[in-house]
Structures are given as structure tokens and as C-alpha cells.
Amino acid sequence: MKKLLRGFSSLAGITALSLIFTQPTLAYLQIPDLAVDLNFDVDVTVDVNIDLELPLPSSSIGMISQEGRENTGEIIQQGLHNIAFMAQVGTLNEAYQTQMGTRNLAYLYQEGQNNYASQYQAGDNNQAFAIQRGEGNTAIQEQLSSNNFAFIYQNGVGNYAEQHQAGSGNYKSVIIQEGNGLRAVIYQP
């Protein structure tokens, strides 16, 4: 099995995400770029670019990158064609990703200290993205069904964001928090 990962010049400066699966039998899937541009008191644009090539039908990829001190990261994958990527920069950050279904994508980036993040995907064809910068932030994403999209961006100190998606209704959930001591919880049954 050949696994090829390209485009990581600086994990802290990742700016775009696009994924490509290939196999000699010409199976091909492309997940389009994620671009979020929402205007509040702050303008946030997220655009991550990673190219992955891996053989099908049963491969999953999990990748952890850590820079700093005393960071904890864990990826658990059971199922087919799942991709989990985690990057942490700083001190005492903690992150967990669990994928139990098929064709799920989980992306997690934390920068700062004492941040906590958890992503749990038990359905199929889900996408979860969590980006945290600052200190003492918490992000929790749970996708228990299929075809859902969840996005969390937090920048500041002591923020809390939680997303639960239990229905297979192509739910989309976006939380953006810029500041200190903010809290957001979204349940989609």
C-alpha cells in the first residue's frame, strides 16, 4: 500500500484543504475546498489545502502533528475510507478523534495552551472541522448519522463550542467565536 502526503511546508500555516483518493482501478473522489467567509464583527476565512493519495477500498488515514510541550493527541478509526488530521501547536493541548463509519473527514487544529477538542463520527460521509487559537478553549463535535457538516472556529480565552448532529438530514452547523468566555451549543436531532 502506497500512501503519499504532499504540501506540508508548515503545519502551523495550513490554509486550505482538498482531498483526492486514487486507485489503479480509476476510483476517484474529490472533496471540494472548504471556504467559509462570514461577516460579523470579525471576518473569518478558512481555506485548508492538503493533497492525499491513498489506495481504496479499505484504507483510512490518521495523522497527528504536534509542536510544543505536553500535548496529547489520539485518533481511533474503525471503518473504511476515513481521514483524520490533527495538528497542535503550543503547550498542554488535548485532542481526540474517533471515526466509526465510512468516508468521514475530521480536521482539527489547535494553537495555544490548555485547549481541548473532541471529534466523534459514527455515521457515513460526515465532515467535521475544528480550529482553535488561544487558551483554555473547548470544542466538541459529535456526528451520529450521515451526510453532515460541522465547523467550529474559536479565537480567544475560555470559549466553549459544542455541536451534535444525530439526524441524517444533510445538516450544516457553523460556530464562530472571537473573544473570551463565549459559549455556543447546537443540537441537530
Side-chain angles (χ1 to χ4, degrees):
M1 285 189 194
K2 179 183 170 190
K3 294 181 183 178
L4 176 63
L5 184 57
R6 297 178 300 194
F8 284 96
S9 58
S10 170
L11 290 176
I14 291 175
T15 59
L17 176 60
S18 59
L19 300 164
I20 299 170
F21 301 85
T22 61
Q23 173 183 358
T25 59
L26 300 177
Y28 182 77
L29 166 68
Q30 183 168 352
I31 300 171
D33 288 34
L34 166 70
V36 176
D37 190 1
L38 301 175
N39 293 309
F40 295 96
D41 290 338
V42 70
D43 184 11
V44 177
T45 300
V46 176
D47 192 20
V48 181
N49 192 3
I50 302 169
D51 290 325
L52 299 173
E53 292 182 18
L54 65 151
L56 293 177
S58 62
S59 293
S60 288
I61 283 187
M63 180 178 174
I64 298 174
S65 174
Q66 296 180 326
E67 181 181 317
R69 296 181 305 108
E70 300 179 56
N71 293 309
T72 301
E74 177 182 83
I75 296 173
I76 298 172
Q77 293 176 309
Q78 181 179 356
L80 303 173
H81 315 301
N82 293 307
I83 296 176
F85 174 76
M86 173 190 311
Q88 298 186 100
V89 178
T91 304
L92 294 169
N93 294 304
E94 191 173 348
Y96 302 92
Q97 293 173 315
T98 302
Q99 295 176 312
M100 306 301 281
T102 301
R103 292 195 187 279
N104 292 303
L105 171 64
Y107 172 85
L108 194 152
Y109 176 79
Q110 295 189 123
E111 181 180 311
Q113 61 185 17
N114 295 310
N115 294 304
Y116 173 87
S118 173
Q119 294 174 315
Y120 182 84
Q121 296 173 314
D124 301 327
N125 300 309
N126 292 303
Q127 297 177 20
F129 299 86
I131 300 169
Q132 298 192 116
R133 291 186 169 101
E135 180 179 342
N137 296 307
T138 299
I140 299 170
Q141 295 174 310
E142 183 178 70
Q143 295 174 313
L144 301 177
S145 57
S146 299
N147 303 311
N148 295 305
F149 173 87
F151 178 83
I152 293 173
Y153 173 82
Q154 296 189 119
N155 188 8
V157 177
N159 295 311
Y160 182 90
E162 188 174 339
Q163 295 168 316
H164 297 274
Q165 296 173 319
S168 294
N170 293 312
Y171 290 118
K172 292 174 180 55
S173 172
V174 176
I175 296 174
I176 297 176
Q177 298 189 134
E178 185 90 25
N180 300 325
L182 303 171
R183 179 178 171 84
V185 178
I186 296 175
Y187 286 93
Q188 294 174 312

